[in-house]
Amino acid sequence: GAVVSQHPSWVICKSGTSVKIECRSLDFQATTMFWYRQFPKQSLMLMATSNEGSKATYEQGVEKDKFLINHASLTLSTLTVTSAHPEDSSFYICSARDPGQLNQPQHFGDGTRLSIL
Amino acid sequence: LAKTTQPISMDSYEGQEVNITCSHNNIATNDYITWYQQFPSQGPRFIIQGYKTKVTNEVASLFIPADRKSSTLSLPRVSLSDTAVYYCLVGDTNSNSGYALNFGKGTSLLVTP
């Protein structure tokens, strides 16, 4: 079945550094991937839609210069949190679906726990 | 995207059947109903998906009435490991550009001995 892999699973870094998170579709090509953020005891919130070969679409209130998204290939999307600060600490999750098959659900990565000191 | 409403929390004992109902009054013709399970510090895991009537797989059943304005996830004989948050979502799964899932608050299920 469709598998989405996310890396790293846990990141701890100092305030002001930039952090890159990778999302890969392992056995299918994904023209579209989605990035979510989840704070403790809250639901997932969609941050942006990553489109292969074009600019990402950001949800209202999400700073595109803060959260850089690159979808350079059909199996890889990256989210870079630039100049991270403690308020950026959260659980980041990506998802994708196999567009080549009908009625297929979104599959999610295992998430990346980002802690900014 | 259709908005969903489900109970915030439910409690159950081990071995019981658990039914979680979700309301989606504004579901569109092309929308499918999908349920996910999420454990702490993990991404949501696909449980089951359906369009109408009943769908069953090895872990759950999904009941969808004719008007499709609600759906019920049925977990038979739950165990302690079924303690998790369960999300009900609706969307057009066949959208060529993919579709973003609008997560509601989910239902926090607690299973106790």
Side-chain angles (χ1 to χ4, degrees):
Chain A
V3 178
V4 174
S5 175
Q6 216 172 312
H7 178 80
S9 57
W10 194 292
V11 178
I12 302 175
C13 59
K14 294 181 179 180
S15 182
T17 58
S18 293
V19 179
K20 179 185 286 188
I21 303 170
E22 295 185 346
C23 180
R24 294 181 184 274
S25 55
L26 297 186
D27 53 0
F28 65 96
Q29 294 182 328
T31 54
T32 304
M33 293 184 177
F34 300 98
W35 287 96
Y36 298 82
R37 180 168 53 181
Q38 186 176 31
F39 292 106
K41 297 191 181 301
Q42 294 187 21
S43 186
L44 283 76
M45 292 175 50
L46 179 66
M47 297 176 65
T49 301
S50 175
N51 302 300
E52 188 271 335
S54 64
K55 292 182 179 180
T57 305
Y58 291 83
E59 295 300 300
Q60 190 173 8
V62 178
E63 300 176 55
K64 61 180 181 180
D65 295 329
K66 174 76 171 178
F67 299 98
L68 300 180
I69 291 174
N70 184 284
H71 196 151
S73 78
L74 287 171
T75 60
L76 174 64
S77 174
T78 59
L79 169 67
T80 300
V81 184
T82 61
S83 187
H85 292 286
E87 58 266 28
D88 298 322
S89 298
S90 188
F91 192 51
Y92 293 86
I93 308 169
C94 68
S95 76
R97 65 175 284 272
D98 185 350
Q101 299 191 39
L102 290 176
N103 306 331
Q104 290 299 301
Q106 288 282 327
H107 290 276
F108 290 81
D110 282 336
T112 298
R113 175 72 59 191
L114 176 61
S115 296
I116 308 299
L117 304 178
Chain B
L1 296 172
K3 181 179 178 179
T4 60
T5 304
Q6 50 184 123
I8 295 296
S9 65
M10 294 182 69
D11 296 332
S12 177
Y13 292 109
E14 271 190 298
Q16 289 188 327
E17 177 184 81
V18 172
N19 296 308
I20 306 174
T21 297
C22 178
S23 297
H24 27 80
N25 292 318
N26 297 322
I27 190 169
T29 302
N30 294 332
D31 287 346
Y32 277 71
I33 301 158
T34 311
W35 284 80
Y36 290 87
Q37 175 192 57
Q38 187 182 29
F39 297 112
S41 296
Q42 294 186 26
R45 184 175 73 94
F46 170 79
I47 301 175
I48 196 167
Q49 178 175 285
Y51 183 81
K52 61 180 179 180
T53 62
K54 176 184 176 182
V55 180
T56 298
N57 61 22
E58 61 276 9
V59 297
S61 293
L62 179 60
F63 298 92
I64 306 169
D67 65 6
R68 302 199 329 121
K69 294 183 182 298
S70 67
S71 59
T72 299
L73 173 71
S74 181
L75 304 173
R77 299 179 298 281
V78 293
S79 63
L80 298 179
S81 61
D82 291 319
T83 293
V85 178
Y86 292 82
Y87 294 99
C88 159
L89 299 106
V90 295
D92 183 356
T93 62
N94 292 319
S95 170
N96 289 333
S97 61
Y99 71 103
L101 295 176
N102 186 11
F103 281 81
K105 296 183 183 300
T107 297
S108 181
L109 173 64
L110 175 62
V111 181
T112 55

